[in-house]
Amino acid sequence: MALSIRLSRGGSKKRPYYRIVVADARSPRDGKYVEKIGTYNPLLAKDSPERVKLDADRAKHWLGVGAQPTDRVARFLDAAGVKERAQRNNPKKGEPGDKAKERAAERAEREQAAAEAAAAPAEEAAPETAEA
């Protein structure tokens, strides 16, 4: 049985509250679980100690048995010092899309043309004042 440590949603509409549970990976999100090892309330302030409550000993046990945490739970485990989370690197995430690149290129061309147009009269005016 493949186990995962994941969030199970509770609470009412627009008021989420999550249980951190160990469940069979094939079971539904809010379905049957093996054990509840903590809670997560995203509505509380980020620095609140009540935001994430986690039983670190049970989490270590289930990780030792082979349970795989989801990305969000892995963040909680890393913050609690239970399991080190490998940092992800996605260099393309911050890169602008194709349309934005086209707009930036057009803007740069317009600015360059404006700079050349402004420099051309200044160059023509400079020799005339020198001749006089």
Side-chain angles (χ1 to χ4, degrees), residues 83-130:
K83 181 182 179 188
E84 189 71 24
R85 181 176 71 97
Q87 294 296 324
R88 293 182 158 197
N89 183 19
N90 187 358
K92 292 193 173 205
K93 181 178 181 183
E95 188 176 308
D98 294 336
K99 291 280 189 177
K101 287 179 187 176
E102 290 174 12
R103 286 192 299 268
E106 290 173 5
R107 190 178 320 115
E109 288 175 10
R110 283 195 306 263
E111 289 175 0
Q112 184 180 4
E116 289 174 0
E123 290 175 2
E124 293 174 4
E128 292 175 7
T129 55

Side-chain angles (χ1 to χ4, degrees), residues 9-20:
R9 192 179 194 278
S12 60
K13 181 178 173 184
K14 309 256 184 189
R15 306 283 296 170
Y17 185 83
Y18 297 93
R19 290 184 208 95
I20 302 171

Side-chain angles (χ1 to χ4, degrees), residues 17-129:
Y17 185 83
Y18 297 93
R19 290 184 208 95
I20 302 171
V21 299
V22 177
D24 183 3
R26 297 168 297 186
S27 66
R29 179 190 71 180
D30 301 334
K32 191 170 103 176
Y33 56 86
V34 178
E35 181 180 355
K36 174 184 162 189
I37 61 172
T39 60
Y40 168 55
N41 188 350
L43 299 177
L44 296 177
K46 292 192 181 212
D47 58 351
S48 172
E50 301 294 314
R51 185 175 168 103
V52 177
K53 291 182 181 177
L54 184 68
D55 186 352
D57 293 335
R58 293 308 294 165
K60 285 179 187 175
H61 165 76
W62 285 110
L63 289 170
V65 171
Q68 295 296 315
T70 59
D71 292 338
R72 177 60 51 185
V73 173
R75 284 176 177 262
F76 298 153
L77 295 174
D78 186 31
V82 175
K83 181 182 179 188
E84 189 71 24
R85 181 176 71 97
Q87 294 296 324
R88 293 182 158 197
N89 183 19
N90 187 358
K92 292 193 173 205
K93 181 178 181 183
E95 188 176 308
D98 294 336
K99 291 280 189 177
K101 287 179 187 176
E102 290 174 12
R103 286 192 299 268
E106 290 173 5
R107 190 178 320 115
E109 288 175 10
R110 283 195 306 263
E111 289 175 0
Q112 184 180 4
E116 289 174 0
E123 290 175 2
E124 293 174 4
E128 292 175 7
T129 55

